[in-house]
């Protein structure tokens, strides 16, 4: 089983920065995709950024929502199965609960498992 522990959320003024972290633990043979989603009150959960690794030892392609391009950066520490989200130039509309998500395998022949973190609140004041 895989567990995700998120940290780094909080309250920040518009224009400020925050860095989210998400560490994966448990039985992990390979992580294929790591990403961040967010859900604001009354809205559907949406993809913020993702990075595909193709294996824990390699870096991969990144994908960003249009609303965060140029402001947010997703990165990984593959040795520690950790994904980060550096959020700069934050806006009030970035306020949401941010969720970490990974697609991983426990063995080379195992199916891909989709795991979610517990969520961390990010609040941007105007």
């Amino acid at each position: 089983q895989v567990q995700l522990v998120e940290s780094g959320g909080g309250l920040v003024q518009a224009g400020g920065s925050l860095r989210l972290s998400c560490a994966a633990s448990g039985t992990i043979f390979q992580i294929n995709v790591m990403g961040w989603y967010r859900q604001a009150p009354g809205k559907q959960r949406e993809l913020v950024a993702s990075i595909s690794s193709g294996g824990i030892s390699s870096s991969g392609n990144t994908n960003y929502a249009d609303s965060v391009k140029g402001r947010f950066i997703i990165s990984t520490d593959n040795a520690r199965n950790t994904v980060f989200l550096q959020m700069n130039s934050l806006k009030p509309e970035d306020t949401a609960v941010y969720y970490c998500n990974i697609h991983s395998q426990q063995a080379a022949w195992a199916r891909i498992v989709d795991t979610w973190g517990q969520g961390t609140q990010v609040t941007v004041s105007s």
Side-chain angles (χ1 to χ4, degrees):
Q1 196 169 0
V2 178
Q3 298 84 37
L4 301 179
V5 177
E6 303 167 1
S7 60
L11 173 65
V12 65
Q13 288 188 331
S17 298
L18 283 174
R19 188 187 195 214
L20 305 182
S21 299
C22 173
S25 61
T27 305
I28 299 172
F29 168 75
Q30 176 172 293
I31 296 177
N32 300 302
V33 180
M34 305 185 86
W36 291 94
Y37 289 72
R38 67 186 181 186
Q39 187 167 20
K43 295 188 177 181
Q44 289 188 332
R45 190 172 298 187
E46 63 175 355
L47 175 68
V48 176
S50 66
I51 181 166
S52 59
S53 65
I56 60 175
S57 61
S58 63
S59 59
N61 297 323
T62 56
N63 181 41
Y64 295 93
D66 288 342
S67 59
V68 306
K69 283 180 181 177
R71 300 189 297 123
F72 290 11
I73 301 171
I74 188 169
S75 63
T76 60
D77 180 343
N78 291 328
R80 298 182 180 181
N81 291 335
T82 300
V83 60
F84 305 98
L85 185 68
Q86 179 65 44
M87 305 185 293
N88 301 318
S89 302
L90 282 161
K91 304 175 181 180
E93 50 264 42
D94 294 318
T95 296
V97 177
Y98 284 70
Y99 297 90
C100 176
N101 173 260
I102 70 167
H103 296 176
S104 64
Q105 292 172 270
Q106 294 185 334
W109 59 85
R111 64 183 179 91
I112 295 174
V113 176
D114 188 15
T115 305
W116 291 90
Q118 79 282 3
T120 185
Q121 177 70 45
V122 171
T123 303
V124 185
S125 62
S126 57

